[in-house]
Amino acid sequence: MTILVTGGAGYIGSHTVVQLLEADYEVIIVDDFSNSKPESLKRIKEITGKDFKFYEVNLLNEKALEEVFEENKIDAVIHFAGLKAVGESVSIPMKYYHNNITGTLILTKLMEKYDVKKMVFSSSATVYGMNNISPLTEDLPLSTTNPYGSTKLMIEQILRDIYVSDSSWSIALLRYFNPIGAHESGRIGEDPNGIPNNLMPYITQVAVGKRKELAVFGDDYDTHDGTGVRDYIHVVDLAAGHMKAVEKVMKDTGANAYNLGTGTGYSVLDVVKNFEKATNVKVPYTIADRRPGDIGACFSDATKAYNELGWKAEKNLEQMCEDAWRWQSNNPNGYENA
Ligand code: UD1
């Protein structure tokens, strides 16, 4: 069975490709390295001892993407490729809409043409917007607060409409909560460009001495310690969710959304404390203003993924912190200079 993985060199993509190869799938990666490095592909080979095909292609390049479909017999697609920085999406929305949405339209057009009607899509808990109360279930009303989130929601809608028009499609919309951690080898992990936007890479960069201190965005939320609560999930568990979703789309048709989270929320200060305990490294922090667009608490009800995919997250916050730290301390500059 051959799986095309768009964005397979990226953070979640690389961890998923490792598991696909370990499960003896044939893998074809398409990535343009806009937010990833060729080194991650070498490391995937090193970890698994297996090979895969790679095409350096941006999804907007329809001609180049069509060659991938021409040259290979593809059974299913896992579609990770997309721009994902929330703040940047507010400044340059057209780039986000064009890249994420047009890219997906080109991909699905080729999938239809080459009769590849099975897709697992990287959506996000961001589609639950600001007005729902956690734990979040898949049937809640959806809304977004920034162009990045809007692209995820619009793509979900596009994929559902494709299924309505042709019920031989099979699509899993995976709504990720907050992926953190790294492969336990410490060889692949999250390697953000520039100053990290997200909590865990910021913490690990403070811990490794690259940044002075963490700014905790608000301590006056209605949560147990006033800081924001999120559902952190180990990226290896998240990758395992993709394996189950691939099995599901191979056997059933439909277009279904699944939360991939642990179902447990931890505050920013819980994460800092767990990180310090797991690693024995201090993380200095100050309390700063709330970050615009943030909500107090966001965590999943992951029952549907358990019932319908047979998946649940296994790793706890301590393991997430240990693995994130192993990656950062072994690779202080990420894949740079590797
Ligand atoms: C963010 C995005 C979300 C996206 C997800 C995946 C926003 C508003 N949301 O989720 O759309 O799908 O990333 O990449 O950007 N925090 C600090 N200090 C920091 C960084 C974060 O206190 O330096 C806090 C935040 O206020 C929040 C928590 O840590 O309470 C997690 O933040 P983050 O890792 O950025 O994820 P989300 O905001 O949940």
Side-chain angles (χ1 to χ4, degrees), residues 21-239:
L21 293 170
E22 283 171 345
D24 284 333
Y25 287 95
E26 300 288 324
V27 173
I28 301 163
I29 295 179
V30 164
D31 202 297
D32 67 355
F33 296 131
S34 57
N35 191 22
S36 61
K37 302 268 162 38
E39 179 66 19
S40 74
L41 301 180
K42 282 197 204 157
R43 304 263 180 108
I44 294 171
K45 290 181 194 171
E46 173 199 302
I47 291 169
T48 60
K50 293 198 173 154
D51 209 354
F52 49 83
K53 272 200 186 174
F54 172 70
Y55 294 84
E56 186 172 344
V57 165
N58 180 294
L59 300 187
L60 296 173
N61 185 345
E62 182 168 347
K63 201 166 156 282
L65 191 60
E66 178 146 17
E67 279 168 26
V68 178
F69 282 84
E70 270 293 328
E71 290 171 12
N72 300 282
K73 167 84 195 76
I74 296 165
D75 295 292
V77 176
I78 308 182
H79 178 29
F80 292 105
L83 300 174
K84 62 167 192 180
V86 174
E88 185 183 70
S89 80
V90 177
S91 327
I92 44 173
M94 286 190 288
K95 184 170 175 190
Y96 272 68
Y97 286 114
H98 185 48
N99 186 83
N100 292 5
I101 294 180
T102 313
T104 303
L105 288 173
I106 290 170
L107 175 65
T108 49
K109 179 176 145 192
L110 291 170
M111 287 174 70
E112 175 159 67
K113 179 166 174 190
Y114 288 85
D115 198 29
V116 184
K117 295 183 178 174
K118 297 170 192 319
M119 178 187 265
V120 176
F121 172 63
S122 294
S123 187
S124 166
T126 196
V127 300
Y128 291 113
M130 300 195 73
N131 302 320
N132 291 306
I133 308 291
S134 292
L136 301 165
T137 49
E138 289 83 352
D139 51 1
L140 287 168
L142 306 176
S143 65
T144 57
T145 54
N146 57 71
Y148 155 76
S150 300
T151 68
K152 293 294 178 190
L153 184 52
M154 288 176 188
I155 293 168
E156 283 202 5
Q157 188 60 51
I158 289 166
L159 295 175
R160 286 179 193 281
D161 290 341
I162 289 174
Y163 171 69
V164 169
S165 75
D166 174 355
S167 62
S168 64
W169 277 80
S170 181
I171 298 161
L173 310 168
L174 302 184
R175 296 180 181 158
Y176 309 155
F177 281 70
N178 290 59
I180 61 171
H183 191 265
E184 62 174 11
S185 64
R187 298 294 288 162
I188 56 173
E190 187 169 13
D191 182 21
N193 280 334
I195 302 171
N197 298 309
N198 297 116
L199 180 63
M200 184 54 87
Y202 207 100
I203 288 178
T204 59
Q205 291 199 8
V206 170
V208 85
K210 289 180 77 170
R211 319 230 164 248
K212 193 166 134 269
E213 60 191 10
L214 172 71
V216 175
F217 297 144
D219 68 348
D220 57 353
Y221 286 106
D222 184 18
T223 61
H224 66 273
D225 61 15
T227 66
V229 164
R230 296 289 183 275
D231 184 342
Y232 297 95
I233 172 169
H234 198 297
V235 66
V236 168
D237 278 332
L238 192 70

